[in-house]
Amino acid sequence: MDTSRRVAQLSRHFDASKITTSPIKVLVTGAAGNIGYSLVHMIGQGRLLGPNQLISLTLLEVPAAKDQLEGTLMELRDCAFPLLRELKGTTNLQEAFTGVDIAILVGARPRGPGMERKDLLGANAAIFKDQGQALDKYANKNVKVLVVGNPANTNCMIAAHFAPSIPKQNFQALTRLDQNRALSILGQKLNVNVEDLKNVIIWGNHSATQFADLSHATLRKDGLNVSVRGILADEEWVQKVFTEQVAKRGAAIIDKRKASSAASAASAVCDHVHDWLLSSDKDTIVSVGVITDGKKYGIPAGLCFSFPCITRDGNTQVVEGLKWDTFAQQMIARTLKELQEEQEMAFNTIK
């Protein structure tokens, strides 16, 4: 996204009273949590859909977080955002999901002490089964669903499975955060602005097995788009340092902040939803976790796998025909194996 376009969307200096479009109903689950708290304020600022779209915003939390939910609502009201034409909080699934146009599913069960991977998958499978059923029963049938709560890909797959009346292409998982991290790390390495870089791709799972791919990345230099791999000859850095830094960036932030990524995750959500509904920049690839149909890159159907995509006016198209070298094949096989294992464990816990 070019700088002028981003600045225009971030500006608060516009007259919302002149907007004639109807408000879009947006739901954020886990809204009083770390990411949700950052996200709802960005939505109020116009980061999600730009400064010309009114929002009817609903915040969903678990009953145990009712006080935190109330506090978050108080702060949102005190911001006096002109775009927020309706604001409410609830702990009730039916009230939260009824008629929703955009559902951003942030809330998920974090991993607790002594919790095994299968237990974490099982706990979240139950949550996203319930939310999938709520979407199926109460939401707008053209609802766009973005899953953020981890394990995001598998949670997305579960939610889509239990919402059979909603098109599978309307369910996506967030890997834009990983793409943004990759752009940041690459920009630092090359000492260039991130806005001059594009087409870094995240393949697979939003986890430590994800594959950040520079094969098709370009740098805008002297008015031309040049291949990043043509100017970055350090193969060891690309295959070891870069891929590991991107995959483990979240853990590195936790180590330093003693808390998980919040603002960067919320910002990536806004980038994702904005580009999904209003289109990504021309000829720019964005990374999106989509429900697989078994026809792209040999990935089996029924998973949620991150692919390179182009988004236009609410539609997402996987970019086909990109080539994988031996290293890419190995990395993608690893992340695919993990997703298949997660799928099996998750479904086994909710049968």
Side-chain angles (χ1 to χ4, degrees), residues 104-127:
I104 305 173
L105 308 184
V106 179
R109 172 75 180 272
R111 192 166 195 159
M115 181 179 281
E116 295 184 9
R117 183 176 169 216
K118 64 180 178 61
D119 298 323
L120 179 66
L121 286 163
N124 280 295
I127 292 169

Side-chain angles (χ1 to χ4, degrees), residues 30-266:
N34 201 22
I35 296 171
Y37 181 83
S38 294
L39 174 60
V40 294
H41 289 85
M42 292 184 186
I43 292 173
Q45 292 167 345
R47 279 289 312 277
L48 195 73
L49 296 173
N52 299 311
Q53 179 59 62
L54 301 176
I55 301 288
S56 174
L57 181 61
T58 298
L59 281 55
L60 176 67
E61 262 299 351
V62 295
K66 188 174 181 180
D67 285 347
Q68 291 91 331
L69 175 61
E70 281 297 323
T72 302
L73 287 166
M74 291 166 68
E75 285 222 82
L76 276 171
R77 293 188 182 107
D78 292 349
C79 286
F81 291 125
L83 291 182
L84 292 185
R85 285 305 166 91
E86 184 180 5
L87 177 63
K88 65 179 181 180
T90 183
T91 61
N92 180 273
L93 285 178
Q94 180 175 348
E95 184 179 0
F97 283 91
T98 296
V100 67
D101 299 308
I102 301 172
I104 305 173
L105 308 184
V106 179
R109 172 75 180 272
R111 192 166 195 159
M115 181 179 281
E116 295 184 9
R117 183 176 169 216
K118 64 180 178 61
D119 298 323
L120 179 66
L121 286 163
N124 280 295
I127 292 169
F128 284 85
K129 175 184 176 181
D130 289 345
Q131 294 187 357
Q133 290 172 333
L135 285 161
D136 194 59
K137 190 172 182 180
Y138 304 118
N140 182 327
K141 293 306 177 186
N142 195 38
V143 62
K144 299 296 191 288
V145 183
L146 176 61
V147 177
V148 181
N150 288 320
N153 295 61
T154 296
N155 289 343
C156 182
M157 179 269 298
I158 291 290
H161 179 81
F162 285 99
S165 68
I166 297 172
K168 293 293 181 282
Q169 62 264 29
N170 288 21
F171 287 84
Q172 298 185 355
L174 182 72
T175 55
R176 185 62 170 268
L177 174 58
D178 306 301
Q179 179 178 313
N180 287 351
R181 288 167 170 169
L183 288 169
S184 169
I185 292 166
L186 181 60
Q188 286 183 298
K189 174 68 173 178
L190 297 177
N191 194 29
V192 299
N193 296 323
V194 291
E195 65 184 24
D196 292 326
L197 294 165
K198 66 178 184 178
N199 297 349
V200 175
I201 299 167
I202 305 297
W203 300 89
N205 200 6
H206 173 65
S207 74
T209 70
Q210 67 180 256
F211 173 46
D213 182 9
L214 295 182
S215 301
H216 310 280
T218 62
L219 168 65
R220 187 75 174 172
K221 186 177 182 181
D222 299 326
L224 299 173
N225 287 322
V226 298
S227 170
V228 166
R229 296 300 282 119
I231 59 176
L232 184 58
D234 190 345
E235 199 71 23
E236 183 174 356
W237 184 86
V238 170
Q239 293 191 1
K240 295 182 179 179
V241 178
F242 173 73
T243 54
E244 184 169 327
Q245 280 188 351
V246 176
K248 297 183 178 180
R249 185 70 157 194
I253 289 171
I254 291 173
D255 181 60
K256 297 298 184 182
R257 286 191 71 231
K258 312 307 177 188
S260 61
S261 307
S264 59

